[in-house]
Amino acid sequence: MGNILIFAKDKMGCFVRSLVGELILLLFSSAVVACFLFFILNIAVGAGINSFFTRTSYLEKVEEKTVQKLQDYVAQNNISTSDSRKLSEWVKNQSVIYLEIYRNDSLLYVSDLVNDEDEYNEMEVPYYRDSYYQLIFADGKAEVFLQGAFAYRYHMYALVTELLISFLAFMILFTSGIRKRIRYIQSLQNEVGIMQGGYLEHPVTVTGKDELAELAEDLNQLRCSLKYNFERENELRQANQNLIIGVAHDLRTPLTALTMYVQILMSEVSKDKKMNQYYLDKVMLKAVQMKELSDRLFEYCQVMDKNKEENLEETRTFQSVFSDYLSEMVLFLESQGLHIVTELEWKVASVVIRMDYIARIIDNLSVNLVRYAKREEMIRIRTVYEDTAIGIEICNKIRHQEEPMETSKIGMENVRYMMEAMNGECREDIDEEIYRLQLLFPIQT
């Protein structure tokens, strides 16, 4: 029984929170207020009318005027007390609901009696016998008792007015409640228009718990989603713009130098073949730098395109992952005139990696070492083992450039992103002289 009551209350609560429920409740409450107003007005106006008739002689005056009209009618038409048909016609045309005529305590006419006149003699003289008027008929004088509906019509006028006022109050209350919901709908329409205009900071107003409130909440969620998507799109657009600006800035320096060296070669300023070869080497070096920048830009676009990534992770031993790549890295760095010392200890451990990412990481690190490592100092490459992680460490001294080398640092951003994609960690420690980089991977048990 308790569950049934709870279910009924829940259903009733849902009904009241619906637009139909609110409309019915508004209709009912407006009707109750209108009925209560009619009840109060009926009592107050009725009491006022009765008080007016009690305090004044209005009814007596109207009654006397009506009696005088009857006397004039009788005189003009030479009517006797026995002429009931004409008397009834007069009663019907006047505001009179009852008329009695007596003579010598005998009842001669009753306005609402339609039986034979012989029955008049059987009727007793009423208690209000003393309240009468004496009129002259064609067959002599007679006493007339007249009771008119003189106050009734005022009560009817008052009743109609009270009904109109109550109905007007009902309509005002009902339409006010409807207009409140209409104004809310108009408010939602205006706020949707604001959203359409692209301004997503303005929240949608949520009022009540009905279907309109649910719609407003949905619009608010839509606004927040659109705002987030637009902000994300702007961030991506800004990131791409910064990338283009950075790469363009990085390309400008080698491109300027390349143009200068080519102009020197074309001008035939130097006739020495060694000097020509020197400038050709400079041209090749700048061309390689530009190629590196374009390759980095291509790799960056591939790495940052998360939607096109495929899950190519695999579990391999740590030695099988880095042994060949580090060997190739050492050979490449030595070919560039750098000095390498390795401390590689291959313990049995497995890691989850992506081989294409490892190749890109090694390429980026190799290029950075060629650009920034001090050539006369040793570059140390060693394996690192921690409790739950394993990796490699590269330590070198930083070369001091005669001319600062500008870069967008895309390579290291790619390295950090790719390490995070493999659940790894990229640690950098830089001071004035030494640069230390650690790439750590969680050990798979």
Side-chain angles (χ1 to χ4, degrees):
M1 185 64 179
N3 293 333
I4 294 176
L5 290 175
I6 294 174
F7 176 77
K9 289 180 180 178
D10 292 340
K11 294 293 287 183
M12 180 60 68
C14 294
F15 177 75
V16 172
R17 287 194 296 268
S18 68
L19 285 175
V20 176
E22 290 182 358
L23 181 62
I24 294 177
L25 183 61
L26 177 63
L27 187 66
F28 177 76
S29 59
S30 300
V32 169
V33 172
C35 291
F36 181 75
L37 177 62
F38 172 77
F39 177 75
I40 297 298
L41 287 175
N42 185 260
I43 294 176
V45 174
I49 293 175
N50 293 332
S51 175
F52 171 76
F53 290 147
T54 302
R55 290 184 290 103
T56 64
S57 59
Y58 176 78
L59 293 179
E60 289 80 358
K61 293 179 179 180
V62 173
E63 187 175 294
E64 291 175 357
K65 289 182 179 180
T66 304
V67 171
Q68 185 60 45
K69 287 181 180 180
L70 177 58
Q71 180 63 75
D72 295 340
Y73 177 75
V74 169
Q76 292 174 1
N77 296 278
N78 196 23
I79 298 174
S80 64
T81 55
S82 60
D83 197 350
S84 58
R85 184 180 61 82
K86 290 185 178 182
L87 290 173
S88 297
E89 289 179 358
W90 182 85
V91 172
K92 184 177 180 180
N93 294 328
Q94 303 297 321
S95 299
V96 177
I97 59 174
Y98 190 70
L99 177 65
E100 293 180 358
I101 300 176
Y102 298 92
R103 181 180 289 153
N104 299 325
D105 293 334
S106 296
L107 184 61
L108 303 178
Y109 172 80
V110 179
S111 59
D112 58 355
L113 188 64
V114 296
N115 296 328
D116 295 337
E117 296 181 0
D118 295 338
E119 296 184 6
Y120 294 162
N121 298 326
E122 299 178 1
M123 299 182 63
E124 298 180 356
V125 177
Y127 69 91
Y128 47 77
R129 176 68 181 82
D130 295 333
S131 178
Y132 65 90
Y133 298 90
Q134 193 173 61
L135 272 68
I136 301 175
F137 291 86
D139 56 349
K141 294 182 179 180
E143 293 84 21
V144 174
F145 175 78
L146 183 145
Q147 185 176 11
F150 309 118
Y152 175 75
R153 64 179 178 181
Y154 294 100
H155 284 286
M156 287 300 299
Y157 295 156
L159 178 62
V160 172
T161 304
E162 293 159 8
L163 288 173
L164 289 176
I165 293 175
S166 300
F167 179 74
L168 182 62
F170 167 79
M171 292 301 297
I172 291 175
L173 293 174
F174 185 72
T175 53
S176 297
I178 295 295
R179 283 178 59 84
K180 180 180 178 181
R181 308 312 295 167
I182 293 176
R183 284 195 296 269
Y184 184 47
I185 294 174
Q186 292 173 342
S187 174
L188 292 180
Q189 183 180 9
N190 293 333
E191 290 171 346
V192 170
I194 294 174
M195 290 175 57
Q196 289 178 343
Y199 184 71
L200 301 177
E201 300 295 331
H202 181 71
V204 179
T205 305
V206 179
T207 303
K209 297 181 179 180
D210 54 16
E211 292 88 347
L212 290 178
E214 294 177 358
L215 175 61
E217 291 179 355
D218 293 340
L219 289 174
N220 235 347
Q221 294 178 0
L222 175 62
R223 178 188 65 84
C224 294
S225 299
L226 290 175
K227 180 182 176 183
Y228 173 78
N229 291 334
F230 287 154
E231 289 177 350
R232 181 62 178 168
E233 182 180 353
N234 290 333
E235 290 175 359
L236 293 176
R237 186 184 296 109
Q238 186 63 39
N240 290 333
Q241 184 178 0
N242 293 338
L243 172 64
I244 295 172
I245 293 174
V247 172
H249 191 271
D250 288 347
L251 284 173
R252 183 178 61 183
T253 300
L255 184 60
T256 302
L258 180 63
T259 303
M260 181 184 66
Y261 295 143
V262 171
Q263 288 175 347
I264 292 174
L265 290 172
M266 293 178 63
S267 65
E268 299 182 357
V269 172
S270 176
K271 302 295 184 178
D272 190 351
K273 291 184 178 181
K274 291 183 179 181
M275 292 301 296
N276 287 341
Q277 185 62 41
Y278 171 77
Y279 286 119
L280 286 174
D281 291 338
K282 290 289 187 180
V283 169
M284 179 58 67
L285 178 61
K286 296 303 179 182
V288 170
Q289 290 180 358
M290 293 174 63
K291 182 179 182 299
E292 289 174 358
L293 285 174
S294 63
D295 290 341
R296 290 184 185 185
L297 176 60
F298 177 72
E299 291 175 3
Y300 180 83
C301 294
Q302 283 187 324
V303 170
M304 297 307 292
D305 191 0
K306 300 180 181 179
N307 295 328
K308 296 183 179 179
E309 287 183 355
E310 298 179 359
N311 187 7
L312 300 176
E313 294 183 353
E314 54 180 323
T315 303
R316 302 184 61 170
T317 62
F318 180 63
Q319 182 178 2
S320 65
V321 173
F322 285 98
S323 178
D324 293 338
Y325 280 116
L326 291 179
S327 298
E328 294 177 2
M329 181 180 183
V330 170
L331 292 175
F332 172 75
L333 294 176
E334 288 179 346
S335 68
Q336 299 297 317
L338 298 174
H339 305 284
I340 313 299
V341 59
T342 60
E343 298 176 5
L344 304 178
E345 180 183 0
W346 304 113
K347 294 183 179 181
V348 179
S350 298
V351 292
V352 176
I353 51 85
R354 286 183 53 169
M355 293 303 294
D356 59 334
Y357 278 8
I358 298 300
R360 293 178 182 176
I361 290 173
I362 295 299
D363 288 343
N364 277 285
L365 297 182
S366 299
V367 173
N368 284 345
L369 288 172
V370 172
R371 298 185 68 183
Y372 302 115
K374 198 171 185 179
R375 294 186 175 275
E376 59 271 17
E377 299 290 341
M378 287 289 182
I379 299 174
R380 188 179 302 276
I381 303 175
R382 69 185 187 93
T383 53
V384 178
Y385 294 93
E386 297 184 355
D387 294 337
T388 60
I390 188 172
I392 62 172
E393 179 184 274
I394 301 175
C395 182
N396 64 278
K397 286 191 176 181
I398 302 173
R399 179 174 56 178
H400 296 285
Q401 304 287 339
E402 295 180 0
E403 296 180 1
M405 185 177 295
E406 299 178 355
T407 176
S408 60
K409 299 182 179 180
I410 295 175
M412 285 310 300
E413 289 183 7
N414 287 349
V415 171
R416 280 189 288 271
Y417 173 75
M418 289 185 286
M419 289 298 297
E420 291 177 0
M422 294 184 291
N423 296 318
E425 183 180 2
C426 179
R427 298 176 183 173
E428 286 186 283
D429 184 16
I430 305 175
D431 60 21
E432 294 181 356
E433 292 284 337
I434 298 175
Y435 174 80
R436 181 177 284 104
L437 174 70
Q438 286 186 349
L439 304 178
L440 298 176
F441 301 86
I443 298 175
Q444 302 298 311
T445 57

